[in-house]
Structure formats: structure tokens, C-alpha cells
Amino acid sequence: MDPVRSEFIPDPSSSREEMETLQRTVADEAIFADEFPFDPATVSMANTLTATTGDSPIVVGIDQAFLDERAVGAVVALRDGEVVERASAAVDCEFPYIPGLLSFREAGAIVAALRNLDAEPDLAVFDGSGRIHYREAGLATHLGVVFDLPSIGVAKSLLCGTPQGSLDGRSEGARVAIDADEDVEGVEGTIGYALQTRQYDSGNRHINPVYVSPGHRVGPETATDLVEQLCDGYKLPEPTRLADSHAATAKGEFGEQARNDGS
DNA sequence: GCGACAG
DNA sequence: ATCTTGTCGC
């Protein structure tokens, strides 16, 4: 697939001021409410070949891996829990990791990988934040707008915002609203949810929740519902887990390729 | 100056 | 994210 708003593709060579301005522009373009054509109830990991009437939405999981000075973007497309396509791409790293500016480091490889994808996704699940961001323009939001694709951000830790309740030891399925705080520019109210996707039945140790936030064209509640539906016994949703492992194998292949070219 | 900080 | 063995607890 190709970008719809290529003028918004993060440019690693721009100034920090320009980067932040672009993020505010992207946030203005983003829609943090349900505005997509498919029925969210039809998104699942159950590939019940019989129960499904018509076409289920295609969900893509997107993740990254790094190799020396290169970033590897990986995409795995799923329909009813079945992998229908995988794509990847490696590009040179042109920008360091800076909290709040992750898109400028990772977007290049992700855009390249998505360009290599033949399938036409209905929903994208990113590894990182969406609206839970200083300028409401985390990776999931930024790329969701660039491709005008409904998207969701799933992060393993919280960038900003304040949980409206205790997060530790919650039982499976529990969700705690994350509200905007002074770190989030010009916003108030719920910008995402901490979702307990998995929990030990009992014992001393507990599992941390994941932080779900709207990327583009999805509201916080639906985004959380969708992530829950995409989980299958593990802390992270399947699209993310599959993209993660695909990124690892792709990294190995690109590394091997580089090794051959150099000797 | 100190603390916080997606991947 | 990445460098890494064993190990404690589900």
C-alpha cells in the first residue's frame, strides 16, 4: 500500500522545531473516534471458517528491529487470525531514539515495509503510542494519518498521562483510563487505557498491563475492545507478536545479506 | 538543578 | 531497541 498523505511522512533531517510542528499538524488531522467502515465485532483471532459470513477485516501488526545502523520494519497481515501476508524492509537509521520523537526514527522503515505489502489492511496495530503522546501524535497516530488507515497504538510502558486508578495486580480484562495531564498539550480527558491483557491466577508476581491508545479513526474504548479481541493467551496482541517475530527473522536475513555483500 | 521519558 | 544464562515462579 502507499501513503495517502505523503507530505506528513516524518523527515529525520528536519529541525526539532519542524518535527514538533508536524506532530501538531498531524494531531489536528487525526480522528480520535470510531470512523471506519467495518464492524469491530468481526475482528478476532478465531479463524472459524464456518461462522464467518462475508469478509473479515484485515489487521496488520507492525514492529521494528535494529541492526547496527539500520532499522528493519516488519508487517504481518492477518484475517480471522490467519496470516495472509508478511512484508519487511531495511533502511539506514537517520535519527536517534528520543522520547516523543519516535516516528522520526522508525517511520522510514515502516513506510518502506508497508509499500512492500500487497494486501489492503483495514486496521493497523502499532508497537508504541498513539494519542498517548505529548502532542497527541505518537507513532500509531502519525502513520495512521499518513496512510489514512484506522490504527491503534499498543505500548508496553506509559509515555505520559495519568492512570485513573491503581494499575498493579489488576485481574485479566481490567481497564483503567489514562487521562491527559500537564505533559499533554492542550487536551483533557481520556486519551487511552491501561488494559490487563493477561494475569496470573494467583501468587506473588503480577503482569503489567499494556497501554492502548487511539491512533487514527478509532476511539479509545473501541481501540481497547479491539486489542482485547486480538489477544490470544499472551500479554501482547497476536498481530504485534507475529510482527515481532517476523522482524527478528527479517533482521537475521538482512544481516546475513549484508555479511555476504561485504565479504 | 532534578526527575521523566513509546522503541 | 540491544547486549545475554540461568533461574524463579506461573
Side-chain angles (χ1 to χ4, degrees):
Chain A
M1 72 185 305
D2 293 305
V4 173
R5 308 297 299 273
S6 50
E7 71 272 26
F8 293 152
I9 292 177
D11 176 6
S13 68
S14 55
S15 70
R16 178 148 186 165
E17 182 58 41
E18 292 173 319
M19 292 178 176
E20 297 186 353
T21 297
L22 174 60
Q23 292 184 323
R24 295 186 184 96
T25 301
V26 166
D28 281 344
E29 295 288 322
I31 298 171
F32 301 123
D34 293 354
E35 209 164 288
F36 49 81
F38 59 89
D39 176 358
T42 63
V43 171
S44 77
M45 292 306 301
N47 47 23
T48 48
L49 302 170
T50 51
T52 304
T53 310
D55 299 312
S56 295
I58 290 181
V59 179
V60 289
I62 300 175
D63 195 26
Q64 295 270 99
F66 292 87
L67 200 55
D68 291 321
E69 295 297 278
R70 289 197 301 169
V72 176
V75 180
V76 175
L78 305 169
R79 163 175 259 158
D80 286 330
E82 285 198 3
V83 175
V84 296
E85 189 182 353
R86 295 178 203 271
S88 63
V91 305
D92 292 324
C93 286
E94 301 174 58
F95 195 71
Y97 166 65
I98 296 175
L101 297 177
L102 184 65
S103 300
F104 294 87
R105 174 173 175 76
E106 308 203 331
I110 293 174
V111 169
L114 282 172
R115 282 183 189 282
N116 289 332
L117 189 76
D118 293 321
E120 291 196 7
D122 295 293
L123 175 71
V125 178
F126 287 87
D127 193 30
S129 295
R131 195 183 188 186
I132 294 181
H133 179 273
Y134 308 126
R135 292 165 291 279
E136 300 179 276
L139 184 67
T141 296
H142 203 135
L143 292 181
V145 169
V146 165
F147 287 90
D148 192 25
L149 176 67
S151 62
I152 298 171
V154 177
K156 294 182 286 295
S157 57
L158 193 58
L159 176 63
C160 58
T162 305
Q164 301 302 105
S166 174
L167 295 183
D168 31 57
R170 305 306 297 270
S171 51
E172 217 163 278
R175 35 182 89 180
V176 176
I178 303 297
D179 283 11
D181 57 19
E182 58 281 356
D183 291 336
V184 185
E185 285 184 11
V187 199
E188 56 180 59
T190 301
I191 54 176
Y193 283 92
L195 172 66
Q196 197 68 51
T197 54
R198 191 189 169 190
Q199 189 55 282
Y200 294 136
D201 300 314
S202 62
N204 319 308
R205 298 197 323 186
H206 61 78
I207 297 173
N208 294 137
V210 293
Y211 302 90
V212 180
S213 59
H216 180 46
R217 293 185 175 283
V218 183
E221 288 76 23
T222 301
T224 307
D225 292 341
L226 289 167
V227 169
E228 192 163 43
Q229 291 165 205
L230 291 169
C231 283
D232 190 26
Y234 295 89
K235 170 176 173 173
L236 297 175
E238 290 305 300
T240 300
R241 299 184 65 241
L242 291 164
D244 200 88
S245 64
H246 184 233
T249 51
K251 168 180 170 173
E253 293 167 357
F254 283 118
E256 175 61 29
Q257 185 182 69
R259 215 167 294 121
N260 293 327
D261 294 346
S263 70

